[in-house]
Amino acid sequence: MGKGGNQGEGGPEREAPIPTFSWEEIQKHNLRTDQWLVIDRKVYNVTKWSKQHPGGHRVIGHYAGEDATDAFHAFHPNLDFVRKYMKPLLVGELAPEEPSQDRGKNSQITEDFRALKKTAEDLKLFKTNHLFFLLLLAHIIAMESLAWFIIFYFGNGWIPTLITTFVLATSQVQAGWLQHDYGHLSVYKKSRWNHIVHKFIIGHMKGASANWWNHRHFQHHAKPNIFHKDPDVNMLHVFVLGEWQPIEYGKKKLKYLPYNHQHEYFFLIGPPLLIPMYFQYQIIMTMIVRKDWVDLAWAISYYSRFFITYIPFYGILGALLFLNFIRFLESHWFVWVTQMNHIVMEIDREPYRDWFSSQLAATCNVEQSFFNDWFSGHLNFQIEHHLFPTMPRHNFHKIAPLVKSLCAKHGIKYQEKPLLRALLDIIHSLKKSGQLWLDAYLHK
């Protein structure tokens, strides 16, 4: 007799009927200690497994009680591999009468976006041009070599040192864009090779941590510009962003800093300090606290190589100052590029939108040119990157017209700006939010 215990002798075994759930029931499981989510109408209990998730437990928690289908497909190029881990987590499926989307999300936009992604796959826009990424790596190594040669040949005077600093800052920024590609699994078909090269570039070429980056950056992609979910808008009371936060701070009479002047002090504590002060400290402490010895070893290999190369020219103290000046310059470049696409857009609490709409609300583009592509690591195509994070960046310009068409069909604004205007809009946005805070602080 089979496991079911109620079949006739010799009859086929019957599988137990899979439980079905309503959205009302699923949405109750949105706590840190109780997390369910839905993928392709299947319901999964990820409470315990989330701690093992390679992208970090927080990114899964951000979708607890929701449909995570499009986010799941966006982040995982090798679905057959991932589904092996999902089978033990399955607890049921949506009841037949329940819609596929929760909280009234726009199902037509979702269907159209999935059709667009299928078109991109048919056009082979997820296929990598490996020569493109090889040339990017080669030009970074060439800059590293040139920097050493300048000091070796011309000496450690002020002019050679300044030139070398700008060359190394440029190589660091470009290495940052390149590790971003591998971190998003957008180069190789097999995730394993992306992870290996990612650790090499972010660790050995930048002195940072792949796991720290994964856990932070995937949260940003999953819920961009959402307070308490996107770490990139957690400004630790230094800045107030968007419209809701400054008004809330103003009503509650919160004044950690004079926010009506944040567009001015941004120049003093934003671009200059993010990497050399905040990120550098956070990365090192994260690796130590989490006992991430592999990433720490990679980071040590970067610092060892740097100091072995430049201590003979500058001494220990001089090499430390040299390194931090490079980080200082890199930080300016990084902050301006990464904020021009996001800080100027909607920043608010969780609105529970479909994937397509949520990404368009939080991102904008900068016009394409050879310089803009190189300068920003193709993050001038931030919209396309957020919609298709595993797409190789050299294909963003090919999918962009189709994204524009879908936006036009559904009346969604597709924002694209000149580079200078995008940079200036950062300051305008900070000034606007600061004024909202001041008005609420004084009058509400």
Side-chain angles (χ1 to χ4, degrees):
M1 186 173 286
K3 293 180 182 178
N6 57 358
Q7 295 95 336
E9 188 173 340
E13 293 185 358
R14 296 180 192 168
E15 291 186 4
I18 189 168
T20 59
F21 300 98
S22 67
W23 276 117
E24 183 180 3
E25 172 63 26
I26 292 167
Q27 287 165 10
K28 294 176 183 177
H29 301 272
N30 66 344
L31 307 174
R32 188 169 184 175
T33 56
D34 180 18
Q35 298 178 347
W36 289 13
L37 50 77
V38 177
I39 298 172
D40 294 319
R41 296 189 64 87
K42 303 291 185 183
V43 182
Y44 298 91
N45 183 344
V46 298
T47 309
K48 295 180 180 178
W49 187 82
S50 64
K51 295 179 181 179
Q52 306 169 41
H53 183 232
H57 66 91
R58 288 190 178 91
V59 69
I60 286 184
H62 295 337
Y63 273 96
E66 287 187 63
D67 176 68
T69 302
D70 292 303
F72 172 78
H73 286 278
F75 295 138
H76 302 98
N78 191 344
L79 295 178
D80 292 335
F81 175 77
V82 177
R83 285 193 175 111
K84 292 190 298 183
Y85 294 90
M86 296 170 62
K87 287 180 181 179
L89 310 178
L90 183 66
V91 294
E93 59 185 29
L94 279 174
E97 67 274 11
E98 290 288 336
S100 296
Q101 298 297 310
D102 60 288
R103 296 177 173 87
K105 294 175 184 175
N106 194 314
S107 59
Q108 187 58 56
I109 293 178
T110 299
E111 289 177 17
D112 288 348
F113 170 72
R114 292 174 184 174
L116 173 61
K117 186 173 183 182
K118 180 63 168 60
T119 300
E121 291 169 350
D122 293 342
L123 293 172
K124 301 188 185 307
L125 298 185
F126 289 90
K127 186 176 181 180
T128 300
N129 179 348
H130 291 284
L131 179 61
F132 174 85
F133 290 102
L134 182 62
L135 291 174
L136 286 175
L137 179 59
H139 102 292
I140 293 166
I141 294 173
M143 283 188 282
E144 296 273 345
S145 303
L146 176 62
W148 172 84
F149 178 77
I150 291 171
I151 299 299
F152 174 78
Y153 189 81
F154 294 102
N156 60 356
W158 281 106
I159 293 177
T161 297
L162 283 174
I163 294 173
T164 300
T165 304
F166 278 94
V167 171
L168 286 175
T170 302
S171 73
Q172 283 293 289
V173 169
Q174 291 300 319
W177 304 150
L178 187 58
Q179 68 81 23
H180 178 261
D181 297 308
Y182 289 95
H184 274 295
L185 314 179
S186 66
V187 181
Y188 297 112
K189 285 186 178 180
K190 290 191 175 182
S191 298
R192 183 183 176 208
W193 286 108
N194 284 296
H195 290 312
I196 290 172
V197 180
H198 185 219
K199 285 187 180 292
F200 168 76
I201 295 176
I202 196 172
H204 182 68
M205 302 197 73
K206 288 191 62 61
S209 164
N211 288 335
W212 168 85
W213 183 89
N214 287 339
H215 292 185
R216 181 185 177 93
H217 194 66
F218 289 142
Q219 291 184 74
H220 161 69
H221 269 267
K223 296 288 185 177
N225 285 12
I226 304 299
F227 287 118
H228 310 302
K229 293 187 177 182
D230 180 359
D232 287 3
V233 296
N234 177 15
M235 295 294 174
L236 303 175
H237 306 304
V238 176
F239 300 101
V240 289
L241 305 177
E243 297 183 359
W244 173 79
Q245 187 185 47
I247 292 173
E248 282 298 299
Y249 272 48
K251 287 179 178 178
K252 295 176 180 178
K253 309 304 178 185
L254 298 177
K255 187 182 180 182
Y256 298 95
L257 286 169
Y259 297 121
N260 52 312
H261 294 288
Q262 64 178 2
H263 61 291
E264 296 166 342
Y265 66 70
F266 170 77
F267 291 94
L268 299 176
I269 62 176
L273 301 182
L274 181 67
I275 290 179
M277 293 283 289
Y278 180 61
F279 273 4
Q280 198 160 247
Y281 170 79
Q282 188 186 59
I283 289 168
I284 293 171
M285 290 305 299
T286 298
M287 290 188 289
I288 294 172
V289 170
R290 293 181 180 171
K291 299 180 181 179
D292 195 347
W293 308 130
V294 173
D295 278 12
L296 186 60
W298 277 113
I300 289 172
S301 76
Y302 164 79
Y303 288 107
S304 299
R305 175 172 60 86
F306 182 89
F307 288 121
I308 288 170
T309 302
Y310 292 106
I311 282 177
F313 300 104
Y314 296 104
I316 296 175
L317 180 59
L320 277 170
L321 293 172
F322 186 50
L323 173 64
N324 280 284
F325 188 45
I326 294 166
R327 297 287 196 218
F328 170 81
L329 295 175
E330 176 196 0
S331 188
H332 280 80
W333 191 333
F334 174 83
V335 170
W336 285 99
V337 168
T338 55
Q339 296 309 306
M340 69 183 182
N341 304 111
H342 290 300
I343 204 172
V344 300
M345 301 300 290
E346 178 185 305
I347 305 175
D348 208 337
R349 296 158 296 176
E350 176 63 80
Y352 296 108
R353 292 192 182 100
D354 61 89
W355 175 262
F356 186 82
S357 300
S358 66
Q359 302 301 332
L360 265 295
T363 57
C364 65
N365 280 6
V366 171
E367 292 175 349
Q368 183 191 19
S369 69
F370 178 82
F371 175 78
N372 287 355
D373 292 352
W374 174 83
F375 180 73
S376 67
H378 287 82
L379 294 181
N380 50 325
F381 288 98
Q382 192 72 242
I383 292 172
E384 289 70 28
H385 169 57
H386 264 254
L387 291 173
F388 310 104
T390 60
M391 181 180 288
R393 58 163 132 152
H394 52 70
N395 288 331
F396 288 157
H397 72 281
K398 298 177 182 177
I399 194 67
L402 301 179
V403 174
K404 289 180 184 178
S405 296
L406 184 54
C407 286
K409 176 181 178 180
H410 291 283
I412 298 173
K413 190 174 182 180
Y414 181 102
Q415 293 195 44
E416 186 178 43
K417 311 173 185 177
L419 178 61
L420 182 59
R421 182 188 159 194
L423 298 174
L424 291 174
D425 279 353
I426 297 173
I427 305 306
H428 296 155
S429 175
L430 288 171
K431 185 176 182 179
K432 178 182 176 182
S433 296
Q435 191 60 47
L436 287 172
W437 169 81
L438 182 63
D439 290 344
Y441 188 85
L442 295 177
H443 304 301
K444 294 185 181 181

